[in-house]
Amino acid sequence: MKSYKLLIGALCLGSWSSAAMAQDVTLRFAHWLPAQQALPSTGFKEWTESIHEASRGSIRFQMFPAQQLGSAENHYDMAANGIADITWTNPGYTAGRFPVSDLLQLPFVIGDTLNGSAAATEWYQQYADQEMSEVVMCMIHGHYPGTLHSKEEIRHPDQISGMSIRPATSTIAQFVSELGGASVQVSAPEAREALARGTADAIFFPSGALNLFGIDKTTRYHIDYPVYSSWQAILINRNTYERLNDQQQAVIDDHCNGEWATRVSRGWEEEELAGLEKLRTSPEHTMIELTDEELAAWREAAMPLLENWAERVRDAGYEPESLVTDLRERLAAVDAMVEGALIE
C-alpha cells in the first residue's frame, strides 16, 4: 500500500511538473553578427538548445541575426522596448550610458577573456539591475583581445595624431581622441567599406574577425598584443522574463551566470585564435612586436581613460576604487588580467 501511494505521488508530481512547463513561448533573439560566425553557430546555439531542453521544450527561440531587427547600436533599446525578447548588445556602443560596465572596455585590462568572462559576469551582475533597469542582464562576455590593424605601420601612440580610426567602442573612441585622432563611427559590418574608401586609416578590431568581415583585405599591419577587448551582454526584456512561469524563470536563471558566459564564448575564442594564427603566418601581413618602451607609452597614453571613467562613475553614485578593487580581485583569481594592467 505504501509503495502504491509513493507511485501515485510520483506520477502526480511528474504531471504537475509537466504542466508547470506547458506554457510554450517563442523568444525573439536578435543580434548583429552574421549567422555563420562562431558565436551564433556555437555559443548561442548551445545556450538556446540547453534552455529548450531544460524547459522540456516549452521555451523556443527565433533568431534574428545580422541587424535584421535594428542596427547594432540599438540592440539595448530593442531589448528594453520589447522589439526583441533577447538581444546581444555591446554596451560600449552607447557612450556614457552604462558607466560601470565601461571599466571592462578600457584598454590594457583583460588578457584572458575566456576566464575573464565568468569573473566579469559575476562582478557586473551586482550593478546591472541599477544600470540596466529596463532589462535582465543575463551575462557579459568579451571576445579574445583585439588590437590595432592599419594600412601603414603604427608602433607608437604619437602616430595616431591626425589619423582617422574606426574604434571598437565608445571607450576606444575616447582613446583615439586623447591621442589626437578622429573616430570614424561605423558598426562592425560597415567597417570594411570605411577602410576601403579611405574614410578610416586603421581599426581597433578582434584579429580573427578581420577575415569574416573582409577587413584583412584592407589592413596589412597588426600590433601583436592584446590591446583591448570589446564586451557584449545577453539581455532579456524584463516584461518577457516576468511573463514566464516560475519554472521557466528558473531555467533562464540557471543559464545566466559566469559558467555560461565562458561556455558561450568558447567557440568564438577558438575562431579568434585561428584567425590570429592565420595573420601571423601570412606573408601578406606584418605582425608588429612592440618594444617595452613602446608598450609603456601605450599604457601611459591610456591612463586618462581610467581617470575619466572614475570621475563618471563617481558622478553616477558609485565608488570607483571599490569597483576597481572588486574587479581586479576577481580577475586576478583566475589569472585573467593582462600583464601590466591599467587597473593594477
Side-chain angles (χ1 to χ4, degrees), residues 58-257:
S58 71
I59 301 178
R60 299 181 176 87
F61 295 87
Q62 183 179 8
M63 305 302 290
F64 293 90
Q67 305 186 101
Q68 288 180 5
L69 296 186
S71 62
E73 62 270 19
N74 290 333
H75 273 54
Y76 177 85
D77 289 322
M78 287 160 51
N81 298 330
I83 295 172
D85 299 299
I86 300 175
T87 66
W88 184 69
T89 299
N90 187 328
Y93 277 5
T94 49
R97 191 172 182 181
F98 309 108
V100 174
S101 73
D102 283 345
L103 179 57
L104 299 169
Q105 311 279 6
L106 292 178
F108 308 112
V109 171
I110 300 177
D112 181 346
T113 47
L114 203 58
N115 289 321
S117 289
T121 292
E122 292 159 3
W123 170 77
Y124 189 54
Q125 281 178 334
Q126 302 172 95
Y127 314 105
D129 279 351
Q130 181 175 346
E131 190 160 78
M132 297 184 171
S133 59
E134 302 98 331
V135 300
V136 175
M137 203 293 293
C138 177
M139 69 181 76
I140 192 164
H141 67 103
H143 62 62
Y144 184 82
T147 188
L148 181 64
H149 312 274
S150 54
K151 299 176 182 179
E152 304 293 336
E153 185 179 57
I154 298 174
R155 303 189 63 93
H156 196 280
D158 288 350
Q159 292 176 261
I160 300 298
S161 181
M163 298 186 73
S164 297
I165 312 289
R166 187 272 181 183
T169 64
S170 59
T171 299
I172 299 300
Q174 294 171 29
F175 193 26
V176 170
S177 180
E178 289 281 346
L179 297 175
S183 290
V184 178
Q185 299 287 357
V186 295
S187 67
E190 300 165 328
R192 177 186 177 178
E193 185 176 358
L195 288 157
R197 286 184 173 182
T199 307
D201 303 306
I203 181 171
F204 283 94
F205 212 67
S207 298
L210 286 187
N211 182 58
L212 178 68
F213 289 98
I215 300 170
D216 59 321
K217 303 296 190 296
T218 57
T219 57
R220 297 293 185 227
Y221 295 88
H222 319 275
I223 291 180
D224 198 1
Y225 192 82
V227 175
Y228 82 99
S229 183
S230 178
W231 288 76
Q232 345 287 325
I234 291 181
L235 308 178
I236 305 171
N237 174 269
R238 190 166 292 278
N239 289 333
T240 295
Y241 176 82
E242 291 175 353
R243 283 196 298 267
L244 299 175
N245 64 36
D246 291 346
Q247 286 70 36
Q248 290 169 326
Q249 287 184 4
V251 170
I252 295 295
D253 293 345
D254 287 343
H255 287 76
C256 290
N257 52 43

